[in-house]
Amino acid sequence: MSKRSDKLKDYMGKRDFKKTPEPGQEEPALEWTSARPIFVIQKHDASALHYDFRIEVDGVLKSWAVPKGPSTDPGIKRLAVFTEDHLLEYADFEGTIPEGEYGGGTVLIWDRGSYHIVDQDTEDSGELSEQIEKGRIVIWLEGQKLRGGFALIRTGKGPKARWLLIKMKDEEASSDEDPVSTQPESVKSGRVIEQIRDDERDSD
Ligand code: MN
């Protein structure tokens, strides 16, 4: 088994591709950008609403579920739960996963773009995958809604480990804005979550 399919075993194992519209194999994708690596934030109206924060690392999307979504205020720390790696093609997925399937609910592409690693103080911080292993990354997002530095920092150990998503203090930081509530629409289709859900219901 290749390293990539090894990483995606959890993703593939949790889904029945006869029932879910989510991507299950490689397809031409990411036509919206030539800048790499990419990030995507998907608003996911599942049993509990959350925002899936995904970044391209070594051919897959490293993923965190952020219940309240990202904040542009450096004073606010947002809980982020590390979840299974997703296919790179997942960055293009917007639609409704049937009820009863894993992750059942509606997915909206809330933001997307490219990112780069922000140099950390330590000289030997290494590749991003190593930094994730060590529990601390800082990346600069070039999205349509979010820009600037964001840190993901692991706290605690073992199965109780949690991550925090925190806006860095830079010229893109703002404590007056709250894009999660003021810009709810999809950057792919312009739709809000209810429209995506209703569109798919109508097409049944
Ligand atoms: Mn999700």
Side-chain angles (χ1 to χ4, degrees):
M1 195 182 276
S2 76
K3 215 174 155 209
R4 183 169 183 275
S5 57
D6 222 18
K7 282 187 202 157
L8 292 168
K9 218 169 65 182
D10 282 357
Y11 174 89
M12 302 302 276
K14 284 176 173 171
R15 291 170 174 80
D16 179 347
F17 293 102
K18 292 196 185 80
K19 292 180 180 162
T20 180
E22 297 162 287
Q25 55 205 349
E26 298 201 49
E27 301 160 14
L30 311 180
E31 285 162 4
W32 49 272
T33 186
S34 55
R36 305 290 283 271
I38 57 131
F39 81 94
V40 62
I41 300 173
Q42 284 156 318
K43 183 177 182 179
H44 188 182
D45 189 15
S47 51
L49 178 72
H50 59 274
Y51 292 76
D52 289 299
F53 187 92
R54 311 187 195 280
I55 60 174
E56 177 184 4
V57 181
D58 300 339
V60 297
L61 293 171
K62 292 286 173 188
S63 299
W64 291 260
V66 184
K68 292 186 176 172
S71 172
T72 56
D73 182 346
I76 293 178
K77 299 178 173 74
R78 289 283 156 87
L79 173 70
V81 180
F82 199 60
T83 58
E84 80 272 17
D85 294 351
H86 276 53
L87 288 177
L88 197 51
E89 292 77 4
Y90 207 91
D92 282 342
F93 176 68
E94 181 169 275
T96 296
I97 303 164
E99 292 301 322
E101 296 306 301
Y102 178 73
T106 300
V107 175
L108 171 155
I109 299 179
W110 185 77
D111 198 10
R112 63 185 176 185
S114 61
Y115 78 88
H116 63 261
I117 301 171
V118 175
D119 288 334
Q120 300 193 48
D121 296 337
T122 50
E123 279 175 27
D124 60 347
S125 53
E127 300 283 320
L128 195 58
S129 55
E130 293 168 37
Q131 296 177 22
I132 293 171
E133 290 286 319
K134 289 178 190 166
R136 182 187 162 86
I137 65 170
V138 184
I139 56 176
W140 184 279
L141 304 182
E142 295 281 352
Q144 291 178 239
K145 294 174 183 170
L146 297 185
R147 294 178 51 83
F150 282 81
L152 272 160
I153 298 164
R154 190 173 58 216
T155 64
K157 287 224 159 64
K160 289 198 173 151
R162 293 288 179 271
W163 292 69
L164 296 171
L165 175 65
I166 309 166
K167 179 75 195 73
M168 302 298 283
K169 290 178 186 161
D170 54 42
E171 66 272 22
E172 304 291 348
S174 168
S175 52
D176 306 327
E177 289 166 51
D178 184 19
V180 161
S181 54
T182 61
Q183 300 178 69
E185 76 286 351
S186 163
V187 295
K188 180 180 183 182
S189 65
R191 296 177 295 177
V192 295
I193 211 111
E194 293 77 11
Q195 289 172 305
I196 296 172
R197 196 170 54 216
D198 292 349
D199 286 354
E200 305 225 345
R201 198 173 283 148
D202 294 345
S203 67
D204 280 348

